[in-house]
PDB file of all heavy atoms in Angstrom:
ATOM      1  N   SER A 153     -73.037 -43.618 -95.560  1.00  0.00           N
ATOM      2  CA  SER A 153     -73.366 -44.401 -94.406  1.00  0.00           C
ATOM      3  C   SER A 153     -74.594 -43.694 -93.753  1.00  0.00           C
ATOM      4  O   SER A 153     -74.682 -42.491 -93.809  1.00  0.00           O
ATOM      5  CB  SER A 153     -72.183 -44.433 -93.494  1.00  0.00           C
ATOM      6  OG  SER A 153     -72.517 -45.084 -92.291  1.00  0.00           O
ATOM      7  N   THR A 154     -75.390 -44.525 -93.154  1.00  0.00           N
ATOM      8  CA  THR A 154     -76.553 -43.985 -92.400  1.00  0.00           C
ATOM      9  C   THR A 154     -76.516 -44.562 -91.004  1.00  0.00           C
ATOM     10  O   THR A 154     -76.122 -45.696 -90.800  1.00  0.00           O
ATOM     11  CB  THR A 154     -77.888 -44.244 -93.050  1.00  0.00           C
ATOM     12  OG1 THR A 154     -78.050 -45.711 -93.152  1.00  0.00           O
ATOM     13  CG2 THR A 154     -77.956 -43.676 -94.441  1.00  0.00           C
ATOM     14  N   LEU A 155     -76.970 -43.753 -90.057  1.00  0.00           N
ATOM     15  CA  LEU A 155     -77.182 -44.221 -88.603  1.00  0.00           C
ATOM     16  C   LEU A 155     -78.647 -44.093 -88.333  1.00  0.00           C
ATOM     17  O   LEU A 155     -79.243 -43.026 -88.375  1.00  0.00           O
ATOM     18  CB  LEU A 155     -76.392 -43.328 -87.665  1.00  0.00           C
ATOM     19  CG  LEU A 155     -76.542 -43.736 -86.173  1.00  0.00           C
ATOM     20  CD1 LEU A 155     -75.968 -45.124 -85.914  1.00  0.00           C
ATOM     21  CD2 LEU A 155     -75.842 -42.697 -85.276  1.00  0.00           C
ATOM     22  N   TYR A 156     -79.250 -45.216 -88.089  1.00  0.00           N
ATOM     23  CA  TYR A 156     -80.714 -45.257 -87.772  1.00  0.00           C
ATOM     24  C   TYR A 156     -80.875 -45.381 -86.335  1.00  0.00           C
ATOM     25  O   TYR A 156     -80.256 -46.264 -85.679  1.00  0.00           O
ATOM     26  CB  TYR A 156     -81.309 -46.462 -88.537  1.00  0.00           C
ATOM     27  CG  TYR A 156     -82.738 -46.763 -88.262  1.00  0.00           C
ATOM     28  CD1 TYR A 156     -83.788 -46.096 -88.921  1.00  0.00           C
ATOM     29  CD2 TYR A 156     -83.149 -47.730 -87.277  1.00  0.00           C
ATOM     30  CE1 TYR A 156     -85.096 -46.368 -88.667  1.00  0.00           C
ATOM     31  CE2 TYR A 156     -84.460 -48.021 -86.993  1.00  0.00           C
ATOM     32  CZ  TYR A 156     -85.402 -47.362 -87.717  1.00  0.00           C
ATOM     33  OH  TYR A 156     -86.719 -47.577 -87.429  1.00  0.00           O
ATOM     34  N   ILE A 157     -81.698 -44.471 -85.768  1.00  0.00           N
ATOM     35  CA  ILE A 157     -82.025 -44.585 -84.310  1.00  0.00           C
ATOM     36  C   ILE A 157     -83.516 -44.856 -84.195  1.00  0.00           C
ATOM     37  O   ILE A 157     -84.318 -44.057 -84.701  1.00  0.00           O
ATOM     38  CB  ILE A 157     -81.644 -43.199 -83.614  1.00  0.00           C
ATOM     39  CG1 ILE A 157     -80.185 -42.888 -83.830  1.00  0.00           C
ATOM     40  CG2 ILE A 157     -81.992 -43.286 -82.136  1.00  0.00           C
ATOM     41  CD1 ILE A 157     -79.738 -41.549 -83.203  1.00  0.00           C
ATOM     42  N   ALA A 158     -83.872 -45.921 -83.546  1.00  0.00           N
ATOM     43  CA  ALA A 158     -85.235 -46.345 -83.360  1.00  0.00           C
ATOM     44  C   ALA A 158     -85.734 -45.760 -82.055  1.00  0.00           C
ATOM     45  O   ALA A 158     -85.040 -45.698 -81.088  1.00  0.00           O
ATOM     46  CB  ALA A 158     -85.369 -47.814 -83.426  1.00  0.00           C
ATOM     47  N   ALA A 159     -87.048 -45.432 -82.138  1.00  0.00           N
ATOM     48  CA  ALA A 159     -87.766 -44.963 -80.946  1.00  0.00           C
ATOM     49  C   ALA A 159     -86.936 -43.995 -80.052  1.00  0.00           C
ATOM     50  O   ALA A 159     -86.551 -44.229 -78.953  1.00  0.00           O
ATOM     51  CB  ALA A 159     -88.161 -46.158 -80.051  1.00  0.00           C
ATOM     52  N   SER A 160     -86.657 -42.815 -80.707  1.00  0.00           N
ATOM     53  CA  SER A 160     -85.788 -41.855 -80.096  1.00  0.00           C
ATOM     54  C   SER A 160     -86.239 -41.401 -78.714  1.00  0.00           C
ATOM     55  O   SER A 160     -87.441 -41.388 -78.380  1.00  0.00           O
ATOM     56  CB  SER A 160     -85.639 -40.646 -80.994  1.00  0.00           C
ATOM     57  OG  SER A 160     -86.878 -40.071 -81.217  1.00  0.00           O
ATOM     58  N   GLN A 161     -85.269 -41.122 -77.853  1.00  0.00           N
ATOM     59  CA  GLN A 161     -85.538 -40.704 -76.464  1.00  0.00           C
ATOM     60  C   GLN A 161     -84.766 -39.316 -76.243  1.00  0.00           C
ATOM     61  O   GLN A 161     -83.756 -39.079 -76.814  1.00  0.00           O
ATOM     62  CB  GLN A 161     -84.981 -41.701 -75.518  1.00  0.00           C
ATOM     63  CG  GLN A 161     -85.578 -43.113 -75.721  1.00  0.00           C
ATOM     64  CD  GLN A 161     -84.845 -44.166 -74.889  1.00  0.00           C
ATOM     65  OE1 GLN A 161     -83.857 -43.870 -74.123  1.00  0.00           O
ATOM     66  NE2 GLN A 161     -85.389 -45.420 -74.925  1.00  0.00           N
ATOM     67  N   PRO A 162     -85.219 -38.562 -75.276  1.00  0.00           N
ATOM     68  CA  PRO A 162     -84.501 -37.304 -74.888  1.00  0.00           C
ATOM     69  C   PRO A 162     -83.051 -37.520 -74.619  1.00  0.00           C
ATOM     70  O   PRO A 162     -82.242 -36.685 -74.952  1.00  0.00           O
ATOM     71  CB  PRO A 162     -85.290 -36.775 -73.717  1.00  0.00           C
ATOM     72  CG  PRO A 162     -86.683 -37.330 -73.884  1.00  0.00           C
ATOM     73  CD  PRO A 162     -86.536 -38.656 -74.488  1.00  0.00           C
ATOM     74  N   GLY A 163     -82.693 -38.642 -74.024  1.00  0.00           N
ATOM     75  CA  GLY A 163     -81.339 -38.946 -73.773  1.00  0.00           C
ATOM     76  C   GLY A 163     -80.492 -39.208 -74.977  1.00  0.00           C
ATOM     77  O   GLY A 163     -79.281 -39.245 -74.904  1.00  0.00           O
ATOM     78  N   ASP A 164     -81.122 -39.316 -76.141  1.00  0.00           N
ATOM     79  CA  ASP A 164     -80.361 -39.424 -77.430  1.00  0.00           C
ATOM     80  C   ASP A 164     -79.894 -38.088 -77.932  1.00  0.00           C
ATOM     81  O   ASP A 164     -79.131 -38.006 -78.832  1.00  0.00           O
ATOM     82  CB  ASP A 164     -81.249 -40.076 -78.494  1.00  0.00           C
ATOM     83  CG  ASP A 164     -81.564 -41.501 -78.132  1.00  0.00           C
ATOM     84  OD1 ASP A 164     -80.763 -42.189 -77.457  1.00  0.00           O
ATOM     85  OD2 ASP A 164     -82.656 -41.995 -78.629  1.00  0.00           O
TER      86      ASP A 164
END
Side-chain angles (χ1 to χ4, degrees):
Chain A
S153 177
T154 60
L155 179 67
Y156 174 84
I157 302 177
S160 58
Q161 303 171 358
D164 294 331

